[in-house]
Structures are given as structure tokens and as C-alpha cells.
């Protein structure tokens, strides 16, 4: 036990770089950790929150640490059955969309320009089902592509696979370790490279335009959603918030917290994110929760925290 | 953070006490090491299996474009150092898909590998281990998945048409009967020609006699029928010298590696596989009906100047008479039920299965049934030590159709009824030749064989250091065969009071194998896999037969032999052999482009002369993975290209034990009017007796194009077998007629093609598997002789049909050539080859064909649409000849026995323009090319239609998988052969007297429905 405590303390030292004093003198920081592609949004939330709450002390862990020492862990996929501890809860605070993207020299762009890919074709392109019982025949896409994806445990991989009814291990191709942003580095080097990514990484959040060297894979879209392929970040966000688009996976992001050692500083921050914080989602390429979901999450938060001592 | 990790990492490298004692030094060392590492980035991680999240040990992690390489340890952990990021890691492990990973940040990573979907095609079982198919330098064929599930009695039958270079002949339609397999032709004349079977590491020679105590009459039961085909995971056929040399003195005829299913990590599953079907005789032989036979009888009698048997009105009243084929054949059910349970944790994997198989024969009162059980267990005691056991036990029972059954069914004259007016079986048909009533025999006689077989092989495997593994295995094969025969007194063929015989054969075969295996990759490009080992195998067989006749009652059948008043001399024997071996194999690979395999095995066998107990069998193979060359990598159409070249020497030790020794046999002779026993020499000693040696050369090509949508494997080979073991005639003054010596040379050369194409992908998928083999066999030398005639294995008399002759193939037919029917007399004419005006055995016989096929072709088309699958398997043999002895007997036209319907077109005074001779009372068959028939055939071997239930649907009723199917076997055969079936060999595995149809049990066609459910 003593050793464990020592490492926890040591770890907290590394991640916070704050001065460690007695518990009563300075507030222990609220530590947030998790899926990295959400960090730009989380950082924005923290910065804006600290503007209105100068005494708040919220830190974002530099590296994903398995969620053992953080107060809040960011999750960006549907948790598997036993993924959460019995005492853990999720409060959802936003959404993100995944778009298929490729090197802007990829011949697939011309081949699919007339009629974009539908959900089934995307499925064939991205996934390969390994089934030893020969349940269903192996279907291969007619397009040649090198698929890049994050490791199987990464949130976006899990979300993408889940949307198409697969396991993340069934995504074809090469893996990229580090961060979802590197998927774009990989396809920029490979003329037939193909990947998916969230809007915050696909678009330059300042200019609101698609980043250079990459192109969105043409999708089979209905009239009202056509602007996903051509519009700027804000247009895309608006279309996706207004419509359910079959070819575009949209997944929620949320904070996992343990209701055993939840602190008031934590609930205050989450509550702010659910209210005032929402207006910064678009800024970083994330979708808002719809009104009903937002109300549900707010209720959930107050219910859970009201029961706390 | 990185620094912290490094400190911890270094700390772990030192034993704890060392740290305590020399903490300061370690600290300094760490600090200096840190500065050395300052410019290096360490990528650390773990390699896990995706589905079970268990560690993968020995996965190779290479850094693309750099020399750095690492291997995952017992915890699955690895660490590799690089100077800059990003880098690309290539992670590979046998049986898993390669994973390419681009690393942009050096955070601890977990790499998940998924099992290779085409695991069976990417990994092959080789002697004493497994290898990546791409690294394999020899010639090997594996049974494709789509043909693995065919409903067959024994696993060796799955090989037919499934792989190139293997000729599989089902010798008889008797349920449970054996098959004969020739891998790249027969190398031997008198010794065994069957390949060596290695079942879960245990080498077994599948000789027909190994489960035959010698009492039961009729087809031998296949020793491999003790194994449930549902238990088979893979069958790999090793063909060239490089791959078989590891089996040394037993490798010349090819090696068939049978691997049974093992438990898997993960959730426990229970699977039921079952089918039920009906078999029907594929074809009946058209025979004369009663009236037609009566006319033939009359004609034959008239021809001999005798009074006809029937008046015209009697003839008219005969009608169609008895259809003996209809009386003997039936629609027979076949069923199989297998329940298997698999389970596995990180450390223990288990598979338990049980099977009940019952096949009734299409001939009444014949059949085969089997109860078998299997346990495969594998347990890791700790990270270094693993143990395992393979256990297969079975009890089989067969009611066998006696040899005379089919000849008698056909020879019974149609005017004789099955039962007489009192309802009792008619004893026989006696119209010149007496034929016992086969229906009575089948119904009342007992002719059965019962085998209990227990095959057990256990091993312990210890990892001494990383890459070096020691393995010790100990196994046993215990066979107990009991045969019972009883011919009741009511049957025509019985002696007075009935005949009873019992026989028992028990054999105990044990095996110990000790191997050391070292696998290592040096630098980035040099990989070695070295195997050395020592094995010993010993076998002892004991058998006896006891018989008696003339019992007071038939009630005891064979169970009270002592009560027979006529005792037949009992017999017994025992036989023992042992084999000790040393083996070594080195596989070296450079950059996955150049692959070299060197193999050698030294065998010491008890079977050979004292001067030649030991033999060494070396081989070498080289393969060039051309597709891994840079200049070919740019050609995207070529996905794989490998050229293979191998040469080596293998042996054949399949002769009876003690053949090198001078032996005495007992003979009876009369002394003072009393019969006494004495002993005399029956064979000479030959201290120099040694192996038959086969030198084999193989040139092969493996090509995959368009992402392996088209995969071609082609092999050309040349095999020359010398030192053939032959009985060489010696002067009678020596007291014997022959001596067993190493003389003679046989060659086999051939071409093999395997082509697998994925014709359509997408919703509708279509794959084709095409297999072609052509082999040419030729006798090059028979020592001092130019030819010899073949001895009939059953009667030990010389067969008048076949010859072994220099310059010809083994299995050549040697006989008269017919020259039509004499228009004037109606007699069969023969060609006078030497034009001396006489037809003589010595001068007018010639070679008229061979049992060796010119080529074998099979093609399997598999279609999938949604959840439906359809597979159509066509198999063919072209150019082989069959001597149809059955027809020769039925075509005599004597009127003594039943006769074929073609005799309706016989020569008569009014029908002279015919090729069918007249009715004539000559009961001897003149062996001629008239009865040599083309045995070519094309057969719809199997057609199966299956439906797999969608997982979403069945998961609602808690099922993991469910499939139903219907399957038809042998439904259509296109052939000109007039007998029951062109796939026939009455003499079973015997090479020199193969291709003979002497009343073989007919093959059935089968329609069945099956289900496979996994819980």
C-alpha cells in the first residue's frame, strides 16, 4: 500500500508540476485524462472555465494513464459491457463525427466522384471480417487502398467499428500509434492511404477549411447533406447536427468519473461544461449534444451529485 | 517520464540483491547509461492476441528500413530502440497476420495481432514442427478447407483428388475398407508402397495387414478407420525428398501428416456434428434373365453335342427368374454423430470429442461401425515448461462380405430361387459349376473383424533459453484385433457340422522422440531454425488362429471351438522390429529471399542385414522467394513468387522383419507311415540386405498473382529407386528356388499442378481448385532377369495377367490379343504374334496396357451467396486399365453360371457378324485383352449445399453457430468401364497386382443431410 501511494504521489508530481503542499493549504487539482483527440476541446473548456472561476485548478494529464489517478476520464466510444467499474458513471458532454479521408492524389477520388460510397461500400473498404465458422462470405472492396487506423483500443477506432457493426480488430490495414492526428501524416505520405478522422483534426480550426494534402472520400449523400463534402467546418457541423447521415458515424464524448470519490470541484466543472461550455464545442470541431440529451445529462449529474455527502 | 521508465527498466535487469549491495554503482551506471541513451528513443510494448488478450511469445518486431529488431518475451513484452520518430514497426508471429504500425510517439504500446484467417495456408505442418508456408523449401500439398468436411469413413480418403501427386484408390466398397495411396508413383516392386502416416507426431505405416488377424474373408479393414475424420484439423502431404528425408528410411513413398484438432483459448464451446444418409448401389450389371439364360444353356449344350436342357415351352415359362443382385443389394443407411467440447485458458487448452459412426453396407448384412473418443490436452506449467497429450481410442466392428460374395451373386443362375418351397435357403446353383447361395451365406454365416486401437502420444517441452526448446515425447499405439468366422452346417460351403475360426492379433508399438530446436533471427536478415533429435521406435506383434469343424450344433457359433470334433492345426506367430534414428535439419533464410534447408536422418533398422543396419538419408533444398526482391516488388500484379529446388535420398524399409536372416520353417513329412513335423531352411541369410533407396529431384514453382487471387503451384520431379528388394531365382541345387536380394531399379517422373483461383468476389463468391498429376513409372533393371511374372497375393500362384518387365511400368498387363470372332465357328480368335501358326503362351502374349493412369485431374468449385454455400467436386483418372475378371467369368457363355446380357449378341448360325463368341462349354477364362478395359472415369465425387444461419438469429437461442447441409457422393460417374465401378483394386494395396476387378464390393452413391451446431 505504501509503495502504491508513493507512486501515485510521484505520478501526480510529474503530471501536475504543481507544488505539493498539505491538503488543506492548496486545493488538489482536478485531473482529467483520456482520449487525446479531444484535448483541444478540453483545454479550451478548462481555459474558459478558469477565466470565470479563478480559484479552479484543473489539469489535463500529458499522457493517457489508464484512468487510475484522474478525477475525470474522457471517453469517446460506447463502453463495452465490463469496461466501467461498478462505481463509475459517464456524463456525456459533446459529440464528434468521423469522416473518411484520403491522400488528395488517390485515384479513388476520381473513381467515386460521380457517386460516392454508401455505407455498405465503406464497410467493405474499411473492414475485413475474420470468421472461422464461415458465417458470412468474405467481401472485399473493389478499390485498392491502404487503410490506416489507430490501435484497436483507441476510442475513434472502437466508435468507427461499432457504427458499422464490427470489432475494431476487423479494421483492415496498418496501425498508427500516438494520436489520431498522425493518421493524417500517414495518408499524406501514401498516395493510396485512406483513414478516418474527427472534424477537429480534419479542418484547420482557425481558417475553418480542410487541411492541405488531404481530401474527403466522396460519400453517397442526400441533398441536404451534400455540403459535408464541400462546406467549411461550420457548415459541416451544422449539417451533421441537423441530420442523421447514414455514412457518417457520430459518437458522443463524455467524462467517466467514479461516484465514490467524486468531488464538488469536479461536478462544478462538468456542470459548467454542460451549460456554458457547450458554446465552445463548434470552435474545436465538435458537435453539441442536442437539447434533450443535454437536459438528461444535466439531470443525471445533479441526481448523482445530490446523493453525495 | 521517459527517464523514470528507463530507470525502472534498468533496475529490472539487475538481481535485487545486487542492487542492495551495490546500489551506488548501479546508480552511477544508470546515469551514465542514461547519457548514452539520451539520443535514443525506446519503443516499449506488449504483443497480445486480439481475441483472447493473451500474450504472444516470440513475435518478431522489426523496424522498417533499420536493423533494429526485437522479439517479445514470455510476458509478450518487447523493447526496441530507434533514433528518430516516426518509424514503422512490422510485427509478425507464425499463425497471425503481420501488423504494420507507424509509431509517432514513444508511449508504451499494446499491439494486438489477429489470427490469420488463412492460418492453414500460411502455416504448414512439417516433420517435427511447423513452418511458415512462405519459408518452406520442399514440396507439400495440404487438403483445402472445402474438402476437409466430406463425409468419409477414414481421414486418408480425404486426400483423394484434394492434392496433386497423390493417387488414392478405394480398393472396395465394403464399409470401412482400405484405400491404397501412391505419392508420386510406386517406388517399389515387392516392398510396401504406402506412404508413412504421422498422426499427431506418431509415425504409423498403414499396411492393410496391421489390423488383420487373418481369419476374416474379404476386403481388409482400413487401419485408419479408427480415426474420426471430424477430429482432423489438417492433412499435409510431403512429397519431395527434402521434406520427407526427415523420416529417412520411411520417406521414399511420401509422408502424410495428420494433425487432429486441439483446444482453443477462449470460451468453452460444445459442437455437435451429425449426418444421416442413405446409400444405394451406383449401378447394377446387366445379366441374362432366366429365359435368356435358358437359351444360352441350350446353345452351349447343343454346341457340345448334348441334349438341350429346356424345351421351348419350358423356356417360355422361365420368365425373368431371380434377380440375385436385387436380393443382395439394399438401400443402406449411414450415420455419424460427433460431440466435441473445446475449452481453453491462458495456460490450458483442451479438446474432448466422441464419435459414433455406423455405415451399413449396400450388400445385406455387411457394415461397419465405430465408437471413438479423443482427448487433446495442452498445459503450460510455467513460462518455460509445457506438456501435452494426444489420445485417440476407438472400437470398430465390421461385418465383412466374404471374398466370394459378389462373384457368387453374379454367378447364381437366374432359374434358381433364393429360397425353396419350404422357405429355406436354396443351397446352391449347380448347372455345371456349383455356386453357393450368397444370400444364405450373407445371412447365416459370421465373418467379422473387431479392432480396438489406442493411440497415445504425450510430450513435455522446455524452453531452455530464448529460442532454444527441448522436447521429449513418448507415445504408444496399441492395436487389438479379434476376428471371428463361423460357417453353419446349413450352408453349402460348410464342412459337415459347420466351421469355426477365431483369430487374434495384438500389437504394441512404442515411440520415444527427443528433439532440440533453436530458432533465432540474427540482425535483420539472417534467420535460422535448427532441429536435432534422436528417436526410437519398437513394435511387437503377436497373433494366433484357432479353427475347428464338425460341431454338434450351430448354436455356439465360433464361441466353443473345443467342441468341434475335427480340429484344424492352430497357428501362431510373433514378429518384432525396432528403429533407432538420429535426425538433423537446418533451415537458413536470408532476408526472406533465399531459403536453404539441409536435412539428414540416420536410421538403424532391425529389418536389415548385419552389414547394413544403418543408413543415412540426406537432402538439400533451396528456394528463392523472388517476390521479395526489390525488382519484383514493384510489379504489383505478382503477390508471391517462389522457385524451389530440392534433391535427396530417402529409403523404404517396408519388408517383413527377419528377411535378412536364414530361417527355418516347419514342414510335415511322412516317417514310418506317420506324419511328423520337421524343420528345413526356408530362406537364406543375406547380411548385406539393405534399404531400397530413392533419389529424388524436384523443381517447383509457387506463384500468386493479383493479390493471390490466382495461386499456382507446379512441380516437376524425377525419382529413381535402386537396390529394389526382389526374390531372385537361384539354382535349385541350393535347396531353395529364390533368394531375397537388393537388385533392380525403378524410376518415376512426373508433373504436378495445383491451381487455385478466386473467380468472383463480393456478394457472390466463386473459387476453383484445380489439381493435376501425371506420373510415368518404368522398371529400369531387374538385376540379371529381364522380366518376371507376378504372384497372386491371395493364392500365391503366378498371376496370368501381369508382368514386371524392364522398360515397362509396374502393373503392365501381359496377355493374348484377341482378333475378333471366327465368323465360321463362333470361336474367339487370338493374334498369332510370331506367325508360327500356333497360339502359345511363350510367343503370343504381349503387353496390352498398364494399371498406371496417364494423369489424374480433379476440380472443385465452391460458390457462396449470402449464407448459402455450394461445392461441386469432380474427380477423374485417365488412361489406367483394369482387368475385369468378373466380366471374364460372366462372359464365358458356358451356361454353367449366371451370364452377362452382352451374350445376347453371341455368335449363332444366324448372327455371325458379332464380336461375342458363341455359347460354349469351356469354363476356363483365356486371359486376353478382351477383358482389359479402360478404367478412365470422371466422377461427381461430391456435391454439397449448405446454409449457415445468421449469427444474429441464432444468438437469440443461445447458439454460437449453426449450419445445415445436404450432400451427395458418387452421384454420377462417367466411364466406359463395364464393371460396378472403375475405382477398384481387388488386391488392395498390392502394387504389382493392382487394377484387378475380381468381384469387388460395389461402390455406393450416397445422399445425406447433416447439421453442425455450436453452443
Amino acid at each position: 500500500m505504501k509503495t502504491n501511494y508513493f507512486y501515485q504521489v510521484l505520478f501526480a508530481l510529474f503530471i501536475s508540476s504543481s507544488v505539493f503542499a498539505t491538503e488543506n493549504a492548496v486545493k488538489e487539482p482536478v485531473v482529467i485524462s483520456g482520449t487525446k483527440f479531444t484535448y483541444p476541446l478540453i483545454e479550451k473548456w478548462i481555459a474558459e472555465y478558469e477565466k470565470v472561476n479563478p480559484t479552479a485548478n484543473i489539469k489535463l494529464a500529458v499522457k493517457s494513464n489508464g484512468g487510475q489517478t484522474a478525477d475525470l476520464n474522457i471517453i469517446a466510444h460506447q463502453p463495452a459491457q465490463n469496461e466501467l467499474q461498478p462505481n463509475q458513471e459517464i456524463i456525456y458532454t459533446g459529440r464528434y463525427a468521423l469522416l473518411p479521408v484520403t491522400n488528395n492524389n488517390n485515384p479513388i477520388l476520381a473513381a467515386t466522384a460521380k457517386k460516392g460510397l454508401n455505407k455498405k461500400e465503406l464497410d467493405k473498404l474499411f473492414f475485413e471480417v475474420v470468421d472461422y465458422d464461415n458465417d458470412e462470405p468474405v467481401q472485399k472492396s473493389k478499390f485498392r487502398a491502404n487503410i490506416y487506423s489507430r490501435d484497436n483500443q483507441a476510442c475513434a477506432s472502437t466508435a468507427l467499428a461499432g457504427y458499422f457493426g464490427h470489432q475494431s480488430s476487423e479494421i483492415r490495414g496498418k496501425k498508427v500509434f500516438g494520436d489520431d492526428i498522425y493518421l493524417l501524416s500517414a495518408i499524406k505520405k501514401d498516395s493510396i492511404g485512406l483513414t478516418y478522422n474527427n472534424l477537429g483534426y480534419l479542418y484547420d480550426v482557425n481558417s475553418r477549411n480542410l487541411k492541405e494534402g488531404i481530401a474527403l472520400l466522396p460519400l453517397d449523400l442526400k441533398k441536404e447533406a451534400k455540403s459535408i463534402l464541400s462546406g467549411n467546418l461550420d457548415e459541416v457541423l451544422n449539417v451533421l447536427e441537423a441530420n442523421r447521415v447514414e455514412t457518417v458515424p457520430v459518437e458522443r464524448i463524455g467524462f467517466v468519473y467514479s461516484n465514490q470519490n467524486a468531488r464538488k470541484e469536479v461536478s462544478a466543472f462538468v456542470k459548467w461544461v454542460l451549460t456554458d461550455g457547450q458554446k465552445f464545442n463548434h470552435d474545436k470541431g465538435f458537435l453539441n449534444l442536442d437539447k434533450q440529451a443535454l437536459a438528461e445529462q444535466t439531470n443525471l449529474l445533479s441526481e448523482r451529485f445530490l446523493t453525495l455527502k | 517520464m521517459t527517464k523514470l521508465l528507463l530507470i525502472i527498466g534498468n533496475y529490472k535487469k539487475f538481481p535485487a540483491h545486487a542492487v542492495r549491495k551495490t546500489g551506488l554503482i548501479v546508480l552511477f551506471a544508470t546515469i551514465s547509461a542514461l547519457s548514452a541513451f539520451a539520443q535514443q528513443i525506446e519503443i516499449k510494448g506488449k504483443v497480445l492476441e486480439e481475441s483472447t488478450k493473451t500474450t504472444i511469445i516470440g513475435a518478431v518486431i522489426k523496424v522498417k528500413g533499420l536493423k533494429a529488431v526485437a522479439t517479445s518475451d514470455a510476458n509478450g513484452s518487447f523493447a526496441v530502440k530507434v533514433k528518430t520518430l516516426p518509424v514503422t514497426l512490422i510485427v509478425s508471429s507464425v499463425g497471425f497476420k503481420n501488423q504494420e504500425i507507424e509509431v509517432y510517439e514513444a508511449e508504451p504500446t499494446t499491439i494486438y495481432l489477429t489470427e490469420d484467417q488463412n492460418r492453414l495456408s500460411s502455416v504448414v505442418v512439417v516433420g517435427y514442427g511447423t513452418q511458415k508456408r512462405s519459408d518452406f523449401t520442399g514440396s507439400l500439398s495440404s487438403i483445402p478447407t472445402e474438402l476437409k468436411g466430406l463425409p468419409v469413413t477414414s481421414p486418408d480418403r480425404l486426400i483423394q483428388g484434394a492434392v496433386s501427386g497423390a493417387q488414392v484408390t478405394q480398393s472396395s466398397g465394403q464399409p470401412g475398407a482400405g484405400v491404397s495411396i501412391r505419392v508420386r508413383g510406386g517406388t517399389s516392386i515387392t516392398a510396401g508402397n504406402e506412404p508413412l502416416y504421422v498422426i499427431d507426431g506418431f509415425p504409423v505405416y498403414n499396411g492393410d495387414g496391421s489390423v488383420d488377424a487373418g481369419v476374416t474373408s474379404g476386403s481388409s479393414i482400413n487401419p485408419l478407420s479408427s480415426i474420426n475424420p471430424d477430429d482432423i484439423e489438417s492433412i499435409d502431404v510431403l512429397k519431395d525428398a527434402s521434406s520427407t528425408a526427415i523420416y529417412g528410411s520411411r520417406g521414399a513413398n511420401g509422408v502424410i501428416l495428420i494433425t487432429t484438432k486441439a483446444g482453443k483459448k477462449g470460451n468453452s464451446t460444445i459442437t455437435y456434428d451429425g449426418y444421416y444418409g442413405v446409400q444405394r448401389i451406383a449401378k447394377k450389371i446387366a445379366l441374362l434373365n432366366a429365359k435368356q439364360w435358358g437359351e444360352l444353356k441350350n446353345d452351349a449344350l447343343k454346341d457340345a453335342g448334348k441334349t438341350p436342357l429346356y424345351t421351348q415351352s419350358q423356356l417360355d415359362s422361365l420368365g425373368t427368374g431371380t434377380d440375385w443382385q436385387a436380393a443382395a443389394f439394399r438401400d443402406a443407411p449411414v450415420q455419424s454423430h460427433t460431440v466435441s467440447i473445446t475449452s481453453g485458458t491462458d495456460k490450458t487448452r483442451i479438446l474432448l470429442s466422441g464419435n459414433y459412426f455406423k455405415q451399413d453396407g449396400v450388400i445385406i448384412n455387411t457394415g461397419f461401425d465405430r465408437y471413438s473418443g479423443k482427448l487433446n490436452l495442452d498445459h503450460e506449467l510455467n513460462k518455460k515448461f509445457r506438456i501435452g497429450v494426444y489420445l485417440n481410442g476407438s472400437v470398430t466392428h465390421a461385418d465383412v462380405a466374404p471374398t466370394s460374395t459378389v462373384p457368387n451373386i453374379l454367378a447364381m443362375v437366374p432359374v434358381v430361387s433364393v429360397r425353396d418351397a419350404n422357405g429355406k435357403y436354396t443351397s446352391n446353383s449347380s448347372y455345371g459349376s456349383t455356386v453357393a447361395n450368397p444370400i444364405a451365406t450373407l445371412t447365416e454365416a459370421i465373418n467379422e473383424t473387431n479392432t480396438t486401437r489406442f493411440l497415445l502420444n504425450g510430450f513435455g517441452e522446455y524452453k531452455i533459453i530464448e529460442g532454444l526448446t527441448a522436447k521429449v515425447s513418448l507415445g504408444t499405439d496399441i492395436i487389438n484385433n479379434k476376428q471371428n468366422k463361423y460357417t453353419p452346417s446349413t450352408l453349402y460351403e460348410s464342412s459337415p457340422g459347420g466351421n469355426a475360426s477365431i483369430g487374434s492379433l495384438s500389437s504394441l508399438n512404442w515411440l520415444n522422440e527427443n528433439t532440440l530446436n533453436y530458432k533465432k533471427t540474427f540482425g535483420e536478415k539472417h534467420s535460422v531454425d535448427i532441429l536435432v533429435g534422436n528417436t526410437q521406435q519398437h513394435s511387437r506383434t503377436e497373433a494366433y488362429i484357432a479353427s475347428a469343424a464338425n460341431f454338434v450344433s450351430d448354436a455356439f457359433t465360433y464361441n466353443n471351438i473345443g467342441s468341434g470334433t475335427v480340429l484344424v492345426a492352430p497357428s501362431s506367430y510373433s514378429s518384432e522390429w525396432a528403429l533407432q534414428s538420429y535426425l538433423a535439419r537446418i533451415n537458413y533464410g536470408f532476408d526472406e529471399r533465399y531459403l536453404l534447408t539441409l536435412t539428414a536422418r540416420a536410421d538403424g533398422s532391425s529389418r536389415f542385414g548385419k552389414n547394413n543396419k544403418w543408413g543415412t538419408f540426406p537432402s538439400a533444398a533451396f528456394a528463392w522467394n523472388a517476390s521479395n526482391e526489390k525488382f519484383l516488388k514493384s510489379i504489383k500484379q505478382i503477390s508471391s513468387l517462389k522457385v524451389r529446388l530440392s534433391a535427396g535420398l530417402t529409403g523404404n524399409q517396408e519388408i517383413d522383419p527377419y528377411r535378412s536372416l536364414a530361417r527355418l520353417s516347419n514342414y510335415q513329412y511322412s516317417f514310418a507311415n506317420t506324419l511328423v513335423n520337421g524343420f528345413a531352411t526356408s530362406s537364406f541369410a543375406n547380411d548385406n540386405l539393405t534399404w531400397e533407396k530413392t533419389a529424388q529431384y524436384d523443381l517447383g514453382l509457387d506463384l500468386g498473382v493479383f493479390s493471390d487471387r490466382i495461386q499456382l503451384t507446379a512441380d516437376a520431379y524425377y525419382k529413381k529407386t535402386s537396390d529394389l528388394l526382389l526374390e531372385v531365382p537361384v539354382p535349385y541345387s541350393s535347396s531353395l528356388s529364390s533368394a531375397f536380394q537388393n537388385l533392380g531399379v525403378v524410376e518415376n517422373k512426373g508433373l504436378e499442378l495445383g491451381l487455385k483461383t478466386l473467380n468472383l468476389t463480393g456478394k457472390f463468391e466463386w473459387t476453383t481448385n484445380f489439381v493435376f498429376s501425371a506420373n510415368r513409372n518404368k522398371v529400369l533393371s531387374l538385376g540379371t532377369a529381364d522380366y518376371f511374372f507376378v504372384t497372386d497375393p491371395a493364392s500365391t500362384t503366378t498371376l496370368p495377367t501381369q508382368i514386371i518387365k524392364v522398360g515397362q511400368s509396374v502393373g503392365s498387363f501381359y496377355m493374348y490379343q484377341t482378333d475378333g470372332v471366327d465368323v465360321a465357328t463362333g470361336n474367339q480368335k487370338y493374334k498369332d504374334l510370331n506367325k508360327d501358326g500356333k497360339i502359345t503362351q511363350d510367343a503370343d502374349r504381349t503387353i496390352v496396357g498398364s494399371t498406371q493412369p496417364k494423369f489424374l485431374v480433379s476440380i472443385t468449385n465452391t460458390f457462396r451467396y449470402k449464407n448459402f454455400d455450394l461445392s461441386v467436386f469432380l474427380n477423374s483418372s485417365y488412361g489406367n486399365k483394369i482387368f475385369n475378371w468378373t466380366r471374364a467369368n460372366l462372359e464365358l457363355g458356358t451356361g454353367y453360371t449366371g451370364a452377362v446380357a452382352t451374350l445376347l449378341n453371341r455368335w449363332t448360325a444366324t448372327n455371325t457378324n458379332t464380336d461375342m463368341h458363341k455359347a460354349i462349354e469351356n469354363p476356363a477364362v483365356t486371359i486376353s485383352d478382351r477383358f482389359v478395359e479402360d478404367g478412365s472415369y470422371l466422377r461427381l465425387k461430391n456435391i454439397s449445399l449448405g446454409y449457415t444461419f445468421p449469427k444474429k438469429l441464432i444468438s437469440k437461442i443461445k447458439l454460437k453457430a449453426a449450419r445445415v447441409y445436404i450432400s451427395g457422393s458418387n452421384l454420377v460417374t462417367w466411364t466406359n468401364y463395364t464393371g460396378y465401378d472403375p475405382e477398384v483394386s481387388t488386391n488392395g494395396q498390392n502394387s504389382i497386382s493392382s487394377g484387378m476387378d475380381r468381384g469387388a464390393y460395389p461402390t455406393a452413391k450416397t445422399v445425406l443431410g447433416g447439421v453442425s451446431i455450436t453452443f
Side-chain angles (χ1 to χ4, degrees), chain A residues 36 128-129 131-132 135-139 148 152-153 169 173-177 182 185-186 189, chain B residues 1 50 97 99-102 104-105 107 109-112 115 117 762-763 765 866-867 948-949 951:
Chain A
K36 271 201 237 166
E128 181 178 27
V129 180
D131 192 338
Y132 302 104
D135 196 6
E136 275 161 23
V138 179
Q139 303 219 333
Y148 292 85
N152 300 341
Q153 312 304 306
S169 58
K174 303 176 182 182
K175 300 288 168 193
V176 169
F177 280 8
Y182 300 123
S185 315
K189 289 189 298 184
Chain B
M1 188 66 191
E50 167 63 34
K97 279 187 192 169
Q99 180 72 70
E100 250 184 63
I101 296 157
E102 296 196 1
Y104 287 81
E105 287 179 14
E107 58 184 19
T109 53
T110 306
I111 295 164
Y112 292 89
E115 224 177 315
Q117 193 176 10
K763 254 186 196 170
E765 194 186 276
K866 292 191 170 168
N867 288 355
T948 305
F949 289 93
K951 275 198 170 155

Side-chain angles (χ1 to χ4, degrees), chain A residues 7 10-11 14-15 36 62-64 120 124 128-141 144 148-153 167-179 181-187 189-190 192, chain B residues 1-2 4 8 50 53 64 86 88 97-119 145 264 636 707 758 761-765 864-867 948-952 960-961 963 1014:
Chain A
Y7 283 123
L10 202 61
F11 190 76
F14 271 86
I15 57 171
K36 271 201 237 166
V62 176
K63 282 184 183 291
S64 170
K120 271 193 177 172
K124 267 194 256 177
E128 181 178 27
V129 180
V130 182
D131 192 338
Y132 302 104
D133 304 328
N134 283 334
D135 196 6
E136 275 161 23
V138 179
Q139 303 219 333
K140 283 187 179 164
S141 174
R144 213 160 69 85
Y148 292 85
S149 67
R150 289 290 311 287
D151 60 289
N152 300 341
Q153 312 304 306
Q167 305 285 325
S168 53
S169 58
E170 289 164 359
I171 304 175
R172 292 177 201 277
K174 303 176 182 182
K175 300 288 168 193
V176 169
F177 280 8
D179 185 356
I181 191 92
Y182 300 123
L183 291 168
L184 300 178
S185 315
I187 60 162
K189 289 189 298 184
D190 183 346
I192 56 164
Chain B
M1 188 66 191
T2 313
L4 178 69
I8 292 168
E50 167 63 34
K53 312 286 182 270
K64 207 174 182 178
T88 304
K97 279 187 192 169
N98 282 7
Q99 180 72 70
E100 250 184 63
I101 296 157
E102 296 196 1
V103 180
Y104 287 81
E105 287 179 14
E107 58 184 19
T109 53
T110 306
I111 295 164
Y112 292 89
L113 295 186
T114 48
E115 224 177 315
D116 196 331
Q117 193 176 10
N118 301 313
R119 186 181 147 74
T145 321
K264 284 180 184 166
K636 294 283 181 208
S707 308
L758 183 56
T761 59
K763 254 186 196 170
F764 184 73
E765 194 186 276
R864 287 172 192 280
Y865 179 73
K866 292 191 170 168
N867 288 355
T948 305
F949 289 93
K951 275 198 170 155
K952 278 177 195 165
K960 285 179 183 152
R963 179 174 182 263
T1014 303

Side-chain angles (χ1 to χ4, degrees), chain B residues 820-835:
Chain B
V821 169
D822 191 323
V823 180
T825 63
N827 286 323
Q828 181 74 56
K829 288 197 297 181
Y830 300 95
K831 283 185 183 162
D832 181 14
L833 297 181
N834 68 342
K835 312 274 185 223

